[in-house]
Amino acid sequence: MLNPTLLDGQKFQITIQRLCRQLIENHNDFSNSVIIGIQPRGIYLAKRIAEELRKILPGKTILQGDLDITFYRDDFRRRETPLVPNQTRIDFIVEGKKVILMDDVLWTGRTIRATMDAMMAFGRPEKMELLVLVDRRYSRHIPVTADYVGIPVDSIASQKVVVSWKETDGEDKVVLLSDVK
């Protein structure tokens, strides 16, 4: 079967820039907003968005951190092999802030549910929003929607969306794998 590339090259970068412009419309100078990347793959999106925002808003402070949700997941005890947690790095206060959670792919919603639980350990934000690069619609187990979406993808359960990042995979690309078993 075909494995179409959904996003790459200049379109990938334009999508990141569009998401940044949408964030600026709602968060102005980011004086009361913070960006949190969800481990493991959402951190690349969060870092890329924060970097681009710093270019667009020179001189403004854009706070960005990483959140590990390993032990907040509802499936962490169901695995045969022990999970290895990632690192949480949030060196700022989220209490009373507008928190923008970022992940590469939104699929069932379970990761976002775990993320909201994990966020409460850091205080009570004024508001939480969700930004995703890819929204796999029609596959939710939990009623979660993203506030900001790079691209929507209509897919079936046997398909898989793979996001490659220049930082780890050598290129920016989103591919829909149709031959997943």
Side-chain angles (χ1 to χ4, degrees), residues 39-105:
Q39 287 277 18
R41 309 272 306 165
I43 64 170
Y44 302 111
L45 177 61
K47 288 177 183 174
R48 190 74 65 83
I49 294 281
E51 182 180 295
E52 191 66 32
L53 285 169
R54 289 181 189 109
K55 289 179 190 173
I56 298 169
L57 302 170
K60 300 295 179 189
T61 301
I62 309 294
L63 297 174
Q64 184 262 316
D66 306 331
L67 179 65
D68 177 56
I69 61 162
T70 302
F71 299 114
Y72 291 90
R73 295 186 58 87
D74 59 7
D75 62 351
F76 89 91
R77 288 189 177 104
R78 295 178 175 203
R79 302 198 180 191
E80 302 221 358
T81 58
L83 289 176
V84 177
N86 292 294
Q87 182 178 14
T88 290
R89 187 193 59 78
I90 299 176
D91 56 358
F92 46 83
I93 304 296
V94 300
E95 187 78 30
K97 298 279 188 189
K98 294 176 184 172
V99 174
I100 307 148
L101 304 169
M102 297 191 184
D103 206 3
D104 57 348
V105 179

Side-chain angles (χ1 to χ4, degrees), residues 138-170:
Y138 312 124
S139 300
R140 299 290 185 271
H141 296 179
I142 296 175
V144 173
T145 59
D147 299 283
Y148 310 93
V149 174
I151 59 168
V153 174
D154 299 333
S155 60
I156 57 176
S158 65
Q159 294 175 311
K160 183 176 182 179
V161 173
V162 176
V163 178
S164 300
W165 294 99
K166 193 182 315 179
E167 295 84 345
T168 57
D169 308 306

